[in-house]
Amino acid sequence: SKHEKMMLRMVHRLGIATLLALHLVSIPGLAFLGTSQRRRSFTSRLLPPCRLFSNDNCDDSGVPEDDSSRRNLLARPLVSLLIGFTSSNLMLPTRTAMAWSKSRTDGYEVQMTDREWRSVLSQTQYEILRQGGTERPGFSILETEKRKGIFKCAGCGEPLFDSADKFNSGTGWPSFARSVSGGVEIEPINPMLAGISGAELRCKTCGGHLGDVFQDGFLFVGTEAAKTGQRFCIDGAALVFYPESGGGDQDFLRGDIPKKKEAPSWLEPPTITPQ
């Protein structure tokens, strides 16, 4: 009805306004939100210590020991407050009630048993693709990859993202403005919730967890994301990069390879010129 459409439009605008406000200003009393770095989403400032400061509580794979859903982990405290208030007034279903219950195996073209997935994937790839884990920011070597090419699913080889749509979001995760047509599956959730906490992304061929898509592309002025309005925030370990000018299928770069850590310039030893 006309009334229902007006209500949905109002809810959507409220979600976008809330997202923008929380990106631009910090909330008094919440010290951990007072950072200028644009992380995975405004709620990703609630990351556990292992992601922000060190490898505490993280294994060598770069995936925290608690591999629960990224959005459930990051968004639970603040988003629950926002959504709970809004849903109680507008009688909309909450995020919990709308959780994606679809299996990661049923209904997908590529089918393997859990044991088979463990045998073909590395530990990091398995924890992300099949368990829905999230690597710590700055972990993957693909985060800084700038060559032309295609990013494919590490589980089944399905083309997912084009290098032309990759941009530097400053989050520490590979980010894209759009996906290759037909490559990904987006969690069907309420537009307001998707605008605040993002929606899960899966490979459409094997059901592997890839990351999340956020509706804050407009923040990244000068990139393709500003045109699409979306930011596909992907775990690098879920991808394999195939460069355009390479040796075919034999030339590739796996995203579960850790990025080389570079020491800050002030830690480098001084250059000594012999007399």
Side-chain angles (χ1 to χ4, degrees):
S1 67
K2 184 177 180 180
H3 178 67
E4 291 175 339
K5 290 181 179 179
M6 290 179 62
M7 294 231 359
L8 286 175
R9 192 178 297 114
M10 180 179 66
V11 170
H12 180 68
R13 289 176 179 174
L14 175 62
I16 296 299
T18 303
L19 175 63
L20 179 60
L22 289 174
H23 264 295
L24 298 179
V25 300
S26 61
I27 300 177
L30 297 181
F32 48 79
L33 291 182
T35 174
S36 60
Q37 181 182 6
R38 289 175 181 146
R39 302 191 186 279
R40 196 143 200 160
S41 69
F42 71 87
T43 54
S44 65
R45 296 187 179 92
L46 306 181
L47 284 167
C50 68
R51 295 190 185 173
L52 291 178
F53 308 111
S54 68
N55 293 338
D56 297 340
N57 300 322
C58 291
D59 55 27
D60 294 335
S61 67
V63 180
E65 292 177 358
D66 179 8
D67 60 357
S68 56
S69 169
R70 132 189 327 104
R71 282 170 296 114
N72 287 337
L73 181 65
L74 308 185
R76 190 173 294 147
L78 187 55
V79 174
S80 294
L81 179 62
L82 293 172
I83 301 305
F85 173 80
T86 305
S87 62
S88 64
N89 285 276
L90 301 178
M91 292 184 293
L92 291 174
T94 62
R95 177 71 188 87
T96 303
M98 299 178 64
W100 202 3
S101 59
K102 183 178 179 181
S103 167
R104 296 190 194 281
T105 56
D106 297 341
Y108 293 100
E109 181 180 343
V110 174
Q111 296 280 326
M112 290 190 192
T113 65
D114 186 70
R115 185 171 183 176
E116 288 172 331
W117 280 120
R118 287 179 179 273
S119 67
V120 299
L121 299 174
S122 69
Q123 178 187 352
T124 307
Q125 291 172 332
Y126 175 81
E127 290 179 350
I128 291 173
L129 285 167
R130 309 315 305 174
Q131 298 295 311
T134 303
E135 67 193 22
R136 65 178 180 270
F139 166 77
S140 175
I141 193 173
L142 295 184
E143 198 269 328
T144 53
E145 179 58 59
K146 296 181 179 179
R147 292 176 293 173
K148 292 184 178 180
I150 295 293
F151 295 82
K152 298 183 179 182
C153 175
C156 65
E158 178 72 21
L160 300 175
F161 301 98
D162 193 302
S163 61
D165 297 315
K166 189 174 185 292
F167 69 98
N168 180 17
S169 64
T171 62
W173 288 278
S175 299
F176 302 87
R178 60 177 66 85
S179 65
V180 173
S181 179
V184 303
E185 182 180 27
I186 302 178
E187 179 183 15
I189 64 173
N190 182 278
M192 176 187 174
L193 303 184
I196 294 178
S197 62
E200 183 186 356
L201 288 173
R202 292 184 184 180
C203 172
K204 201 167 185 178
T205 302
C206 68
H209 173 77
L210 302 173
D212 299 284
V213 58
F214 297 96
Q215 308 301 318
D216 60 356
F218 61 90
L219 293 173
F220 301 92
V221 180
T223 71
E224 285 296 306
K227 300 177 182 179
T228 64
Q230 295 181 312
R231 172 171 57 98
F232 290 77
C233 202
I234 309 300
D235 290 291
L239 304 174
V240 176
F241 176 67
Y242 289 81
E244 187 177 280
S245 57
D249 291 341
Q250 302 304 314
D251 184 13
F252 58 86
L253 180 62
R254 289 171 46 150
D256 60 337
I257 298 176
K259 183 167 57 177
K260 183 179 179 182
K261 295 182 180 179
E262 298 181 358
S265 58
W266 55 271
L267 282 179
E268 296 179 358
T271 302
I272 300 177
T273 304
Q275 296 292 331

